[in-house]
């Protein structure tokens, strides 16, 4: 029987046990074997959350002292409620989930949490949905990350083939801006690069009317990944001004377009297209397999706030991957206050 066909079992091996992992090498060695890659379970993402003041646990599932599963757990304390959160995890066979959930229930009680939220890195299928229903989870009113429906590009083909697989308009605009004098591409991971990006990011937030991450958030995210060469800032410069920027995280076999920014001051200069081409080139140079453009809008929601950005991303070729939406396990009646608040936020943001 294939792993994907095994259901949840009440007869778990008595040799299974859960304990915290404190060695970075042990955690990263396990994660580097996982597919698909996710930086949201990485050691550095845990360190980043600690720097924000969150309490974290790196839980390992062991079978006779052999590590067979892992889950980064973050305690979120927010005005809307306190809960345990597992982003893009847990990374384990689904028949072992009950063992973890029982552990998390006890942990949530000790930490006075109202619910457990899991954003699983599991493809959305009826079988996978049933796994969480059988554990008494329900679909969360909103996601924590824009990574439920993502757009991915395999970068193994050579550049000519990648260009051929792009939308005709995208290919034309890349070549047009390549031929345009004055567009300069810059990349690096110095504090100066980050400052230029943050300024552009702030302008983008004002223009597009979204609540941006704080400077403190961006600074700490940058610092968490910088020392391992897992983050880089890409900037496009025209007429001595920065017109496009992105914060790219490199982890496992993939690169992730996690934060982006742009200016509309020079609308005739298609810098974002050349800019993305440079990122794809860097992904290839690092010997990685995939470029994850991060979240896109569903096909059936043409008025979604991300519709235009999604069209832009898809123009570079690639494929979509749809994961299960975030799943909640209510533990207290106070959960329903959180549920109503988040439901209202989702409606307000037209997501």
């Amino acid at each position: 029987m294939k792993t994907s066909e095994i259901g949840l079992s009440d007869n778990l091996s008595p040799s299974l046990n859960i304990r915290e992992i404190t060695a970075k090498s042990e955690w990263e060695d396990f994660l580097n074997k996982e597919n698909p890659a996710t930086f949201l379970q990485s050691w550095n993402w845990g360190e980043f959350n600690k720097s924000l003041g969150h309490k974290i646990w790196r839980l390992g599932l062991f079978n006779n002292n052999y590590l067979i599963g892992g889950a980064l757990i973050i305690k979120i304390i927010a005005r809307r409620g306190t809960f345990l959160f597992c982003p893009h995890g847990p990374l384990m066979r689904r028949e072992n989930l009950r063992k973890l959930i029982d552990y998390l229930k006890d942990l949530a009680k000790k930490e006075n949490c109202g619910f457990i939220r899991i954003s699983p890195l599991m493809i959305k299928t009826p079988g996978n949905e049933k796994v969480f229903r059988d554990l008494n989870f329900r679909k969360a009113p909103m996601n924590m990350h824009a990574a439920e429906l993502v757009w991915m590009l395999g970068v193994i083909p050579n550049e000519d083939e990648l260009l051929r697989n792009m939308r005709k308009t995208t290919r034309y605009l890349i070549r047009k801006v390549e031929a345009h004098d004055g567009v300069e591409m810059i990349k690096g991971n110095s504090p100066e690069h980050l400052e230029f990006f943050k300024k552009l990011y702030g302008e983008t937030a004002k223009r597009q009317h979204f609540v941006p991450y704080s400077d403190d958030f961006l600074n700490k995210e940058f610092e968490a990944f910088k020392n391992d060469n897992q983050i880089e800032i890409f900037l496009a410069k025209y007429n001595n001004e920065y017109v496009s920027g992105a914060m790219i995280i490199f982890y496992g076999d993939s690169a992730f377009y996690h934060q982006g920014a742009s200016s509309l001051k020079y609308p005739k200069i298609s810098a974002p297209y050349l800019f993305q081409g440079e990122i794809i080139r860097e992904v290839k140079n690092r010997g990685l397999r995939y470029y994850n453009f991060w979240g896109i809008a569903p096909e059936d929601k043409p008025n979604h706030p991300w519709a235009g950005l999604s069209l832009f991303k898809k123009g570079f070729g690639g494929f979509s991957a749809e994961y299960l939406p975030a799943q909640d396990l209510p533990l207290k009646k106070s959960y329903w206050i959180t549920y109503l608040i988040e439901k209202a936020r989702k409606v307000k943001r037209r997501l």
Side-chain angles (χ1 to χ4, degrees):
M1 182 180 291
K2 295 180 181 179
T3 301
S4 60
E5 296 172 342
I6 300 174
L8 293 167
S9 173
D10 291 317
N11 301 313
L12 294 173
S13 169
S15 60
L16 287 178
N17 65 89
I18 292 174
R19 64 175 184 264
E20 284 193 65
I21 294 177
T22 58
K24 181 177 180 179
S25 58
E26 183 178 20
W27 186 262
E28 289 293 285
D29 286 347
F30 171 75
L31 257 68
N32 286 331
K33 298 172 186 175
E34 293 298 303
N35 183 33
T38 172
F39 70 91
L40 294 180
Q41 283 285 306
S42 70
W43 184 272
N44 288 336
W45 190 253
E47 293 302 293
F48 162 62
N49 274 277
K50 281 168 63 176
S51 74
L52 292 176
H54 300 313
K55 195 171 182 180
I56 73 161
W57 296 263
R58 297 181 180 95
L59 302 178
L61 177 67
F62 292 84
N63 187 353
N64 291 323
N65 293 319
Y66 182 72
L67 182 59
I68 62 171
L72 171 65
I73 305 298
I74 304 165
K75 181 180 179 181
I76 304 294
I77 301 176
R79 284 182 295 177
R80 67 186 188 277
T82 299
F83 58 99
L84 296 181
F85 176 51
C86 182
H88 268 187
L91 304 176
M92 61 182 62
R93 289 164 64 100
R94 68 187 196 179
E95 67 267 24
N96 293 329
L97 276 173
R98 192 181 300 278
K99 182 77 173 182
L100 175 69
I101 300 307
D102 287 343
Y103 186 98
L104 292 180
K105 286 178 182 178
D106 290 338
L107 181 60
K109 185 176 180 180
K110 292 175 185 176
E111 296 293 327
N112 196 28
C113 294
F115 63 100
I116 297 166
R117 174 165 294 172
I118 292 177
S119 291
L121 196 62
M122 297 169 65
I123 295 298
K124 186 178 181 182
T125 66
N128 285 336
E129 290 174 328
K130 184 177 185 300
V131 167
F132 283 92
R133 283 201 307 273
D134 289 347
L135 287 167
N136 297 318
F137 277 78
R138 57 175 295 121
K139 181 181 175 182
M142 66 182 292
N143 257 351
M144 300 287 285
H145 299 282
E148 179 182 318
L149 178 62
V150 301
W151 189 257
M152 298 178 67
L153 173 67
V155 299
I156 296 299
N158 61 44
E159 289 191 32
D160 287 341
E161 187 176 346
L162 285 171
L163 279 168
R164 285 197 299 272
N165 291 334
M166 293 179 187
R167 186 183 294 121
K168 183 178 179 181
T169 304
T170 301
R171 189 166 57 244
Y172 165 75
L173 290 171
I174 289 175
R175 287 172 172 162
K176 177 184 176 183
V177 73
E178 280 179 336
H180 196 291
D181 292 336
V183 178
E184 180 184 3
M185 295 302 307
I186 300 166
K187 64 180 179 180
N189 59 5
S190 73
E192 290 77 15
H193 291 102
L194 178 61
E195 289 304 312
F196 290 132
F197 171 76
K198 286 191 299 185
K199 182 179 179 182
L200 198 58
Y201 177 75
E203 294 172 1
T204 305
K206 288 180 182 179
R207 185 180 72 246
Q208 297 183 354
H209 307 291
F210 67 83
V211 179
Y213 290 112
S214 68
D215 280 359
D216 183 59
F217 184 101
L218 296 174
N219 289 339
K220 289 176 176 176
E221 181 178 14
F222 182 75
E223 287 298 322
F225 289 94
K226 185 182 71 171
N227 290 338
D228 287 333
N229 193 31
Q230 291 177 337
I231 196 164
E232 197 149 19
I233 303 295
F234 288 78
L235 297 162
K237 196 174 187 180
Y238 177 72
N239 200 22
N240 208 33
E241 294 182 63
Y242 292 101
V243 294
S244 288
M247 183 184 288
I248 306 296
I249 294 178
F250 301 91
Y251 190 75
D253 63 358
S254 302
F256 300 84
Y257 182 42
H258 195 223
Q259 312 285 1
S262 63
S263 167
L264 294 182
K265 187 171 182 179
Y266 302 100
K268 294 183 179 180
I269 303 300
S270 305
Y273 291 90
L274 178 62
F275 173 79
Q276 289 294 335
E278 285 296 313
I279 295 173
I280 293 168
R281 189 170 291 116
E282 175 66 15
V283 178
K284 287 183 66 67
N285 289 343
R286 287 180 177 239
L288 306 182
R289 295 178 60 85
Y290 299 105
Y291 178 30
N292 189 326
F293 281 90
W294 215 232
I296 58 171
E299 289 280 354
D300 60 350
K301 293 186 177 180
N303 296 321
H304 194 283
W306 304 342
L309 181 59
S310 300
L311 184 65
F312 168 76
K313 292 177 179 180
K314 291 178 180 181
F316 292 89
F319 59 96
S320 65
E322 185 173 9
Y323 301 112
L324 282 182
Q327 304 288 315
D328 285 352
L329 179 63
L331 301 174
K332 294 183 178 182
K333 291 181 180 179
S334 59
Y335 166 77
W336 298 105
I337 297 175
T338 303
Y339 180 89
L340 292 172
I341 292 172
E342 292 187 340
K343 194 76 172 178
R345 284 184 181 179
K346 186 173 183 178
V347 171
K348 183 177 180 181
R349 296 173 183 176
R350 298 184 293 120
L351 296 176

